[in-house]
Structures are given as structure tokens and as C-alpha cells.
Amino acid sequence: MTDFTLDPRLAADSVFIADGPLSQVRLIDDTRFPWLVLVPRVNGASEWLELDGGQQRLLLAEINQAGQLIRSQPGVQKLNIGALGNIVRQLHIHLVGRHDGDAAWPGPVWGNGHMIRHAPAALAEEVERWRQRLA
């Protein structure tokens, strides 16, 4: 895990919040949704099955923690969890809070509309809020 390199596409769309036991926790910079992504710091892993059993258990615990945080956000009615990677070939898990009538409801958030990024000061405040929730 020491030589971890984040895919530039993930870096461009997200902001670092914290390091978990296995993964970077990142906030997707899109004001439309409470949206975290977990990126295991395992170079070369593009699929869940490429993690060993201990890594899978750590990632599952991180998914549970992040999922509970997303579900506790105001207005969240549904938690979407997805391990995609058709374009970015680095294992990463999306956790997105959804509600009836959100910007993409009931369809997927990926590829639906355009990201609405935070203003710089608002992004810094949002990142700090997530850091406090994870502490």
C-alpha cells in the first residue's frame, strides 16, 4: 500500500477526506448528491476479487461506516453502492445518497446530467464536515 497511485480521473472528480484502514475516503465534488468514494490503496486491484480476504473484510467495514454516514444525511431515503470500473481500472466503491426527486431519480447518477461543483470555500467546509463525521 505504500506505492499507491490514485487514478487521475478519480482525483479530478473528488477531494481527499481521510485515510481509512485500507482505503482513501474521497468526496465526489458534486453538490447534487452526498457522494463518497472509497479507493483501496492496493495498486493494480481493479476488482473486489483481487483483494485478499483480509482486505475484503477491511473494505466491507469501511463501506458499512461510510454507508451509515451517507444514510444519516438530511433527506437521504436510499443508499446506492456501486463498484464500477469500466473506464477507471482502479477498484473504487461509490456510495451515493438518493431521494425521490433528486437530480437523477430514479435513474443512475453516473452519466446523468452534469456535475455541479462546490465553490472553493464551500468545498473546504464540506470536506471538513465529512472529516468530523468520520472521526
Side-chain angles (χ1 to χ4, degrees):
M1 289 193 291
T2 58
D3 295 331
F4 174 73
T5 303
L6 182 66
D7 184 280
R9 291 163 289 201
L10 288 173
D13 288 341
S14 65
V15 178
F16 176 82
I17 294 176
D19 275 322
L22 180 69
S23 304
Q24 276 193 5
V25 181
R26 302 184 68 84
L27 174 69
I28 296 293
D29 187 9
D30 189 342
T31 63
R32 300 175 303 158
F33 310 99
W35 187 345
L36 298 177
V37 65
L38 302 177
V39 186
R41 294 182 309 277
V42 179
N43 278 331
S46 62
E47 302 288 346
W48 174 272
L49 296 174
E50 295 171 348
L51 302 178
D52 66 35
Q55 291 168 329
Q56 288 178 355
R57 286 186 290 281
L58 279 174
L59 183 54
L60 182 57
E62 291 175 342
I63 290 168
N64 286 335
Q65 181 186 16
Q68 292 298 333
L69 288 173
I70 294 282
R71 290 180 64 199
S72 72
Q73 299 309 296
V76 171
Q77 298 170 330
K78 177 76 175 91
L79 174 66
N80 288 174
I81 301 173
L84 305 176
N86 298 335
I87 296 171
V88 175
R89 303 262 182 209
Q90 180 173 46
L91 178 60
H92 57 289
I93 313 298
H94 293 267
L95 298 102
V96 185
R98 303 294 308 274
H99 64 84
D100 187 14
D102 71 30
W105 189 267
V109 297
W110 297 276
N112 195 323
H114 298 285
M115 293 175 78
I116 300 174
R117 296 191 181 262
H118 295 82
L123 181 59
E125 290 174 8
E126 188 68 9
V127 166
E128 185 55 34
R129 279 193 290 272
W130 281 104
R131 284 184 178 148
Q132 290 174 8
R133 292 176 194 137
L134 284 167

